Amino acid sequence: MRKKRHLTIDEKRDWLASIFRDESGDFSQADKFKALAEDTRLAQLQEEKQNTTPTTNSKPAINEQFIDWLPPAMPEQKTE
């Protein structure tokens, strides 16, 4: 099985959380702030992705008046 090339949003957020919660002193306050800001951006991206996911089998409503304005269908032409 081929390895995944990219991390999921959840994996990225877990990694950023480990930076933000670091108590060993490996990361500066600036690094922690950047991790918090990036985590917030990823959370917003994830929320937008969930909100814009189309529902299955949903078709947009078509106003019947618009259909009346369309020209008649053209006959199909055979190509040889």
Side-chain angles (χ1 to χ4, degrees):
M1 186 171 142
R2 186 175 161 195
K3 278 187 155 184
K4 296 185 303 182
R5 279 187 72 191
H6 304 288
L7 298 173
T8 64
I9 290 178
D10 288 331
E11 290 170 331
K12 291 175 186 178
R13 292 189 69 203
D14 289 342
W15 178 72
L16 291 167
S18 69
I19 292 172
F20 182 73
R21 294 185 179 123
D22 176 62
E23 293 181 0
S24 67
D26 291 338
F27 299 99
S28 68
Q29 290 295 328
D31 292 334
K32 291 180 180 185
F33 178 78
K34 290 176 188 176
L36 179 63
E38 184 64 19
D39 180 59
T40 303
R41 188 186 70 78
L42 286 173
Q44 289 173 340
L45 181 67
Q46 192 173 30
E47 186 176 322
E48 288 173 6
K49 185 177 178 184
Q50 289 173 353
N51 290 340
T52 60
T53 303
T55 58
T56 57
N57 297 331
S58 65
K59 295 181 181 177
I62 298 175
N63 190 337
E64 296 298 323
Q65 288 178 327
F66 295 131
I67 293 177
D68 293 338
W69 293 344
L70 293 174
M74 295 181 66
E76 289 188 29
Q77 297 178 358
K78 292 184 180 183
T79 57
E80 295 178 340

